[in-house]
Amino acid sequence: MTPTQDRPALDRLLSPRSIAMVGASNSPARIGGTVFGNLLRNFPGEVYPVHPKDEVVQGRAAYRSVRDLPEAVDMAVIAVPAPAVVDVVAECAARGVGGATVITSGFAEAGPEGRALQDRLTAVARETGIRVVGPNCIGYMNTHGGVMANFMLTPDQPMPEAGPVALVSQSGGFGSYITNKAVLAGLRLGWFVSTGNEADVNVAAVLRHLVERPEVGVLLSFVETLRDPEVFVDTARRAAELDKPLVLLKAGRSEEAARAAMSHTASIVGSAQVLDAVCRQYGVYIASTMEELLDLGTIFQDGRRAGGDRVIVMTSSGGAGVLLADEAGQAGLAVPELPQDEQAALAADMPVPFYGSTANPVDTTAQTTAMPDAYRKVLDAVAASPSADMLAAVTWAGPGPANDAIVEMYRTTTKPVAILSTAWSPQFQQAGVPTFTDPRRAMVALAALAGQSARGPLPPDPAAFTADAGRVRRARELIAEAGRETTLLESTGKRILAMYGVPVTREELVTGEDAAVEAAERIGGPVAIKVMSYQLPHKSDAGAIRLGLRGPDAVRAGYREMLAEVARREPGAVAEGVLVQQMAPARLELTCGVQRDPVFGPMVAIGLGGVLVEVLSEAVLLRPPFDVDTALAALGDLLGGRLITGRRGLSEEEQRAAAQVMTGLGALALELDEVAEVDVNPLRVADGVVLAADALIVVNHD
């Protein structure tokens, strides 16, 4: 085995020291000609063309097959007809090639026959260990390693400037579009990887690999289907740990296809909401548009961080300054009025008479802009202000003293800077000055940077969760009592919830009228009574519930009337008993539950309870495991924060109790994978206490 084969397979695939191309061509009109020409541009190692007939390809001696290569290369680019691809990849694996980049299309995207071909390709990768990017991709670019294994650029087009930004895209065509626009916007792309159909290597795997690369400082990604959620979450935690922003643009965000409708919880959790929630939880930025993806790359690529959320706006146009200040406020940034001493110092550098403003926005007016020395002094003073964590300035594109001053200011300050310009400026791009052409986009980008700068501790590592074996055993014994029933009795569900620290109402399961009266006396105060039947998951629909019963006579009468009504309305229902339950007071009601997302698995949701859960359709979601602090922060996001800041919102004690419910349900979902769904509605909140008054647990027996 040669030294190069000792390297990890993904290193060999994405940072090769030697390359072969199967399907290399002399024709620049063919993909094989374009890709091979790109490979020859800057790659410092050996590049071998493989061609069945031509002896020389673009000046390089060609080999008839991979078997004939003089060494086991790190990476092979494959651009041959689809039916031949699997055999070529198998041949590469047998020759000791580390990885293959399969450009060829005609696989899963082309119908059943192509799907079968792709399955064979996946099988070869798994059986042999060779790593495969593609098929149906445009390849990748690693400018730091001189690798242009793609056809998004032709060999005569300039190479992007190597920099800290990495872009990973499932889509080759749209990824190429984003890449070209990113270069125009001034992003310094060190990496671009298109993963195509992802027969083997997917977006999550590439991101996980790149986050460890020292030259990568920002990760941008466009995905259609997010595979390997555990790898994605691990990458997000690692990116946060290394302070490397990760930004995701997701296509196919429709909620309807993934919406489950059985419970209140499921009715407000859609796939797009789940993705957004997981990204928020683990510090991934969700870009709503391609422009936002590029904007965040622009503001993050210089690696600067802000000491706070205060921004000074400097402009020669009063209207532009007001608009920037408005957008800053909308984005959550502060635009503080400068102290009088700072204003006086700025005014001293302004021309006389001066008709602008020194307050913030700092309006220099066009008069000052036309005086280079005065403009430079004001700009430098604003950037140095102790009242600012960030700076935004307005300018016109094109050469001139004002833009020269902006470049010099940017080079001398360590604060984040966003320049609003009438167009992208080559001068700013060469200097790395973050430039935006819209006020909102500039301020949204600065707000994201402020958020990145103020990040707290990492969320818990999912791999560190340890199940409580004794609790799992006891819970499964209760589940087993239901036999093959898929919906547990409320009484059983609450006993399970109590094991996970969820506070439940005082209650007793009885089987007779006298026992109900005795139970009500032990519980004290008004009680509710409910028929427990596997045939009645929704008790109110069958009249199987009575509320607010006080005293023996009321309990007896309610008991008889309830059973009679159930017998009349649901004659097939078998009563397993009657639950006598404390009537818990409530200043407000919450709902909390679990749904299993097809991609990310269990998700805990909490929102307003009772009928409001369907009226408002608002909840916050967390992926377990998470701690109480994470749950508390999520509660603070409900209703724009009004749930905890409003006059009748949750007290600190109630917030912590609700957070404990959330963490308990998270542990339940992780330990009991047969539990498909949990719906605790309502959670009644009053006087510092949160109690589960009803609970629905659905299980799978497969």
Side-chain angles (χ1 to χ4, degrees):
M1 178 177 289
T2 63
T4 189
Q5 290 178 273
D6 292 335
R7 301 165 65 214
L10 271 181
D11 277 344
R12 297 183 67 197
L13 172 62
L14 297 175
S15 298
R17 296 171 183 167
S18 55
I19 300 174
M21 180 166 184
V22 185
S25 172
N26 281 303
S27 171
R30 299 178 66 87
I31 287 178
T34 298
V35 175
F36 193 68
N38 275 334
L39 288 172
L40 296 177
R41 294 173 71 171
N42 289 323
F43 186 65
E46 291 293 336
V47 181
Y48 304 105
V50 176
H51 195 282
K53 298 178 181 177
D54 292 349
E55 294 185 0
V56 177
V57 176
Q58 297 190 35
R60 298 291 179 102
Y63 297 84
R64 291 289 176 263
S65 73
V66 173
R67 293 188 301 272
D68 299 326
L69 291 173
E71 63 173 311
V73 298
D74 281 333
M75 191 270 289
V77 182
I78 298 174
V80 298
V85 165
V86 176
D87 289 341
V88 171
V89 172
E91 191 175 79
C92 287
R95 183 67 179 86
V97 176
T101 301
V102 180
I103 305 290
T104 308
S105 57
F107 288 83
E109 82 283 1
E113 291 185 7
R115 175 78 259 179
L117 269 180
Q118 186 165 314
D119 289 344
R120 287 177 54 203
L121 181 59
T122 300
V124 168
R126 289 176 178 170
E127 291 165 6
T128 65
I130 190 172
R131 302 311 305 267
V132 177
V133 168
N136 188 33
C137 71
I138 65 170
Y140 75 89
M141 171 186 75
N142 170 4
T143 56
H144 297 281
V147 184
M148 281 290 287
N150 64 79
F151 60 94
M152 68 178 179
L153 297 175
T154 57
D156 59 333
Q157 291 178 294
M159 288 267 291
E161 179 185 350
V165 182
L167 172 63
V168 184
S169 172
Q170 242 177 318
S171 168
F174 192 59
S176 175
Y177 180 92
I178 296 174
T179 297
N180 280 272
K181 191 159 186 177
V183 172
L184 290 174
L187 266 72
R188 299 189 301 280
L189 279 177
W191 285 83
F192 166 73
V193 182
S194 72
T195 57
N197 290 7
E198 300 186 340
D200 174 36
V201 175
N202 56 41
V203 165
V206 175
L207 290 172
R208 185 64 186 88
H209 175 77
L210 293 180
V211 75
E212 301 290 350
R213 300 288 304 184
E215 74 275 10
V216 173
V218 185
L219 296 149
L220 309 180
S221 183
F222 171 71
V223 298
E224 299 162 52
T225 302
L226 188 59
R227 299 180 174 90
D228 283 351
E230 299 298 338
V231 175
F232 177 75
V233 167
D234 182 56
T235 302
R237 292 188 80 258
R238 184 62 174 151
E241 187 176 35
L242 296 173
D243 193 21
K244 296 184 178 184
L246 171 56
V247 188
L248 186 72
L249 175 62
K250 173 72 166 63
R253 294 174 58 85
S254 172
E255 300 172 14
E256 285 74 16
R259 187 185 298 275
M262 180 169 183
S263 73
H264 297 299
T265 300
S267 71
I268 57 175
V269 177
S271 58
Q273 290 170 301
V274 170
L275 175 66
D276 289 353
V278 171
C279 288
R280 278 194 302 272
Q281 183 175 341
Y282 289 98
V284 178
Y285 296 91
I286 287 284
S288 56
T289 64
M290 180 185 68
E291 284 78 10
E292 187 176 1
L293 180 78
L294 301 181
D295 289 345
L296 294 180
T298 297
I299 203 67
F300 284 133
Q301 71 175 343
D302 63 11
R304 299 186 183 193
R305 295 295 179 260
D309 63 358
R310 303 168 303 166
V311 59
I312 291 184
V313 175
M314 181 167 163
T315 177
S316 59
S317 164
V322 171
L323 188 56
L324 278 166
D326 281 345
E327 295 298 349
Q330 291 292 324
L333 297 174
V335 187
E337 182 175 347
L338 295 181
Q340 288 302 315
D341 59 334
E342 291 190 42
Q343 291 196 45
L346 289 175
D349 291 324
M350 300 291 189
V352 178
F354 176 58
Y355 302 104
S357 171
T358 56
N360 191 21
V362 175
D363 181 3
T364 64
T365 74
Q367 182 182 8
T368 306
T369 307
M371 303 173 65
D373 289 342
Y375 183 82
R376 189 183 307 273
K377 287 180 181 179
V378 173
L379 183 65
D380 290 344
V382 166
S385 169
S387 302
D389 303 304
M390 297 172 284
L391 173 65
V394 181
T395 191
W396 273 247
N403 287 353
D404 292 342
I406 287 173
V407 170
E408 290 179 22
M409 175 275 299
Y410 176 75
R411 286 172 173 164
T412 56
T413 185
T414 58
K415 293 178 181 177
V417 173
I419 300 300
L420 177 64
S421 177
T422 53
W424 285 321
S425 159
Q427 180 184 15
F428 289 162
Q429 289 181 353
Q430 290 170 10
V433 180
T435 307
F436 305 87
T437 57
D438 177 80
R440 175 171 297 179
R441 291 169 60 180
M443 289 306 176
V444 167
L446 281 179
L449 190 145
Q452 177 76 17
S453 306
R455 281 192 168 173
L458 289 174
D461 183 357
F465 177 80
T466 303
D468 183 330
R471 181 169 63 185
V472 171
R473 185 191 69 254
R474 295 190 301 273
R476 285 182 169 153
E477 288 172 354
L478 288 175
I479 292 172
E481 292 178 3
R484 299 300 295 176
E485 299 288 347
T486 56
T487 302
L488 303 184
L489 298 176
E490 176 188 336
S491 53
T492 304
K494 284 182 178 173
R495 290 174 66 188
I496 293 173
L497 291 177
M499 294 179 185
Y500 287 87
V502 178
V504 300
T505 50
R506 297 191 304 275
E507 56 194 39
E508 296 182 29
L509 185 64
V510 301
T511 55
E513 183 180 317
D514 291 339
V517 170
E518 293 170 1
E521 290 177 347
R522 284 190 292 270
I523 291 169
V527 297
I529 58 174
K530 305 173 181 178
V531 175
M532 295 291 102
S533 171
Y534 291 112
Q535 290 77 45
L536 302 175
H538 303 290
K539 295 174 282 293
S540 59
D541 295 343
I545 184 170
R546 294 294 186 273
L547 302 175
L549 304 180
R550 187 185 295 272
D553 292 343
V555 173
R556 288 184 187 278
Y559 190 99
R560 294 170 185 170
E561 292 169 3
M562 179 177 67
L563 289 180
E565 183 176 355
V566 169
R568 184 176 67 255
R569 295 174 63 174
E570 297 288 344
V574 177
E576 307 291 335
V578 170
L579 189 67
V580 183
Q581 175 188 335
Q582 164 197 8
M583 286 290 296
R587 185 181 76 261
L588 59 85
E589 292 183 331
L590 300 173
T591 184
C592 192
V594 173
Q595 182 205 8
R596 293 191 183 273
D597 182 75
V599 175
F600 285 102
M603 297 293 298
V604 175
I606 191 164
L608 291 187
V611 297
L612 290 179
V613 65
E614 294 177 340
V615 173
L616 296 179
S617 290
E618 180 172 344
V620 291
L621 311 173
L622 289 175
R623 184 177 191 257
F626 51 85
D627 54 24
V628 169
D629 288 340
T630 303
L632 287 170
L635 283 170
D637 291 334
L638 261 178
L639 301 177
R642 296 188 302 279
L643 186 65
I644 63 174
T645 61
R647 186 166 59 88
R648 297 188 180 183
L650 298 177
S651 68
E652 290 187 12
E653 189 177 9
E654 290 162 350
Q655 292 173 44
R656 187 157 292 274
Q660 293 285 4
V661 171
M662 296 171 68
T663 57
L665 289 186
L668 183 155
L670 292 173
E671 291 184 357
L672 303 174
D673 54 8
E674 65 267 45
V675 171
E677 182 181 342
V678 179
D679 194 11
V680 183
N681 185 26
L683 279 169
R684 294 176 69 86
V685 181
D687 303 323
V689 177
V690 175
L691 290 175
D694 199 354
L696 179 73
I697 294 182
V698 178
V699 297
N700 287 324
H701 294 290
D702 298 334

